[in-house]
Amino acid sequence: MKKTIFLLVFVFLFCFSSQVIAEVVFSFGHSNPPNDRSQNHYFYLKFSELAKKYSDGEIVINEFPSNQLGGEQDRVNKARKQTNLITQASTPNVAPFAPSAGVLTLPYMFNDMDEILALLDGEFGTILSDRILKESGLRVLGYLTTGFRMITNSKRCINTIGDMEGLKIRVPKDAIMLKTFEAWGVNPITMAWPEVFTGLQQGVIDGQINSYITNYAAGFQEVQKYITPISAMPWIAPILISEKSFSRLEPKIQEALLKAAHEAALLEQEWGVAKEKEFQEILVEKGMEMCSLEDSNVWKEKARAIWPDLYEKVGGKELADQALQYLE
């Protein structure tokens, strides 16, 4: 009887241990709170569900929201070095490690959301992912987007380019955004993303630039009054993992991870399109005032005029021309 019990316990422990050993655990770090306003959290829920499904339960993805693993550039740097760390980061925060990612931030490259999605999910998206891999050692698993960035501020409506004078606008530490705002007559302030809400709250900065969805997810309606749609730059965030880490995975896990991330990213893009208008209306309901540009052509002319100065920052003129050709 004792031998039988011992054998059963041994078999149970062996099976349990095998199950634990079989799991491949990933950490997914992102910038937003884990709520239903966050595109990053939405992607995580779909990604983890699909990865578990396609790997027959072997893949486990743990969420680390709200910059728990550091700001975006910190996470990108960590992802290059740490095993099984997956992160999202907007293109301005990827560009310091992979300059070609900056091509998606060139001001006024896109006319609408359809063009953004067509470029990301088409052949050019693959070309860009290959370049990011070569430059940074990071594999792109997919692209998230929430549409165009808006300028928000707490001082006044921005209706003309002259209304920008004297405003302290935060941008990521990115050469393209810095030079674009300088072309618009502003000396922008760089600040790490985890510090932005407090900076707005305390008046260290007057405003910032982000999509409706990101503004609502971050709760900026509590510390910002005015929104101006400028439609100059989209919010796009590649999903990244170290190629060294990825290459060590079994083929089954690689395939499951790629398939899950790709499908979850497409779902996030659909979610973003659906939520953009809804969240815009909610921001207004919560007290933010919508402003409109009276001289949008001036903004565009000034920003497009500095493209030649930006080519070396985005992987070269050839890559920018290639993106435009695909858009045509």
Side-chain angles (χ1 to χ4, degrees):
M1 183 67 177
K2 289 183 179 179
K3 288 182 179 181
T4 302
I5 294 173
F6 176 80
L7 181 61
L8 290 172
V9 171
F10 176 79
V11 170
F12 172 79
L13 291 175
F14 176 80
C15 292
F16 179 77
S17 300
S18 298
Q19 184 180 3
V20 172
I21 292 170
E23 288 184 350
V24 183
V25 181
F26 296 90
S27 299
F28 177 63
H30 66 81
S31 304
N32 299 143
N35 57 41
D36 59 5
R37 295 177 283 172
S38 164
Q39 71 276 13
N40 297 322
H41 179 62
Y42 179 87
F43 168 79
Y44 161 75
L45 293 176
K46 299 300 181 183
F47 182 33
S48 58
E49 175 187 344
L50 291 170
K52 184 176 183 179
K53 173 184 174 182
Y54 293 142
S55 67
D56 297 322
E58 290 187 36
I59 294 178
V60 175
I61 304 176
N62 296 319
E63 182 181 28
F64 292 86
S66 304
N67 299 297
Q68 290 179 22
L69 301 181
E72 290 192 355
Q73 291 191 20
D74 289 336
R75 294 199 308 272
V76 173
N77 197 34
K78 288 177 181 178
R80 298 170 73 201
K81 303 172 183 178
Q82 295 182 13
T83 301
N84 291 16
L85 171 59
I86 301 171
T87 190
Q88 61 74 226
S90 61
T91 49
N93 288 315
V94 178
F97 308 93
S100 292
V103 73
L104 298 175
T105 313
L106 283 172
Y108 296 103
M109 170 173 281
F110 303 99
N111 291 309
D112 53 39
M113 190 69 170
D114 288 340
E115 290 189 351
I116 295 171
L117 297 178
L119 200 69
L120 294 180
D121 301 331
E123 186 177 354
F124 183 82
T126 302
I127 292 170
L128 182 60
S129 295
D130 290 342
R131 290 187 63 139
I132 291 173
L133 173 59
K134 183 177 179 180
E135 293 168 357
S136 67
L138 291 163
R139 174 178 286 265
V140 177
L141 299 177
Y143 292 93
L144 308 185
T145 184
T146 56
F148 288 101
R149 295 172 181 264
M150 318 292 159
I151 296 177
T152 70
N153 82 97
S154 58
K155 297 296 184 182
R156 55 181 174 268
C157 246
I158 298 171
N159 297 316
T160 68
I161 203 164
D163 294 331
M164 293 278 281
E165 185 177 352
L167 292 179
K168 298 174 289 185
I169 305 294
R170 177 267 176 186
V171 301
K173 193 175 181 180
D174 170 68
I176 300 169
M177 281 199 165
L178 288 168
K179 288 186 176 295
T180 300
F181 272 83
E182 289 168 1
W184 290 333
V186 175
N187 291 319
I189 296 171
T190 60
M191 180 180 290
W193 179 249
E195 303 169 11
V196 173
F197 187 93
T198 302
L200 293 169
Q201 191 176 43
Q202 296 178 350
V204 177
I205 49 177
D206 300 318
Q208 53 85 52
I209 179 169
N210 254 303
S211 67
Y212 291 123
I213 292 173
T214 301
N215 282 315
Y216 186 42
F220 286 159
Q221 68 276 5
E222 300 173 17
V223 289
Q224 297 280 265
K225 175 64 178 175
Y226 305 100
I227 307 176
T228 303
I230 60 171
S231 301
M233 304 168 181
W235 184 93
I236 297 172
I239 303 298
L240 303 164
I241 185 173
S242 163
E243 179 64 12
K244 287 183 179 179
S245 175
F246 182 83
S247 65
R248 295 190 189 109
L249 299 172
E250 294 181 3
K252 174 186 175 181
I253 300 300
Q254 290 181 347
E255 183 180 352
L257 203 65
L258 288 171
K259 186 176 181 181
H262 175 70
E263 292 184 12
L266 293 178
L267 289 170
E268 183 281 333
Q269 292 172 10
E270 292 177 5
W271 180 89
V273 170
K275 291 293 183 180
E276 186 178 32
K277 183 66 175 177
E278 176 186 340
F279 286 4
Q280 175 190 350
E281 293 173 352
I282 291 174
L283 290 171
V284 172
E285 289 173 2
K286 291 186 176 294
M288 296 194 76
E289 181 178 338
M290 291 295 302
C291 312
S292 60
L293 291 184
E294 300 167 4
D295 58 350
S296 57
N297 60 317
V298 176
W299 293 68
K300 187 171 184 177
E301 288 171 5
K302 287 182 177 292
R304 290 295 294 260
I306 65 169
W307 272 37
D309 301 328
L310 300 176
Y311 289 139
E312 63 179 81
K313 310 289 186 184
V314 301
K317 183 177 185 298
E318 181 182 351
L319 183 65
D321 288 343
Q322 198 171 14
L324 291 173
Q325 289 169 8
Y326 276 98
L327 288 174
E328 290 174 359

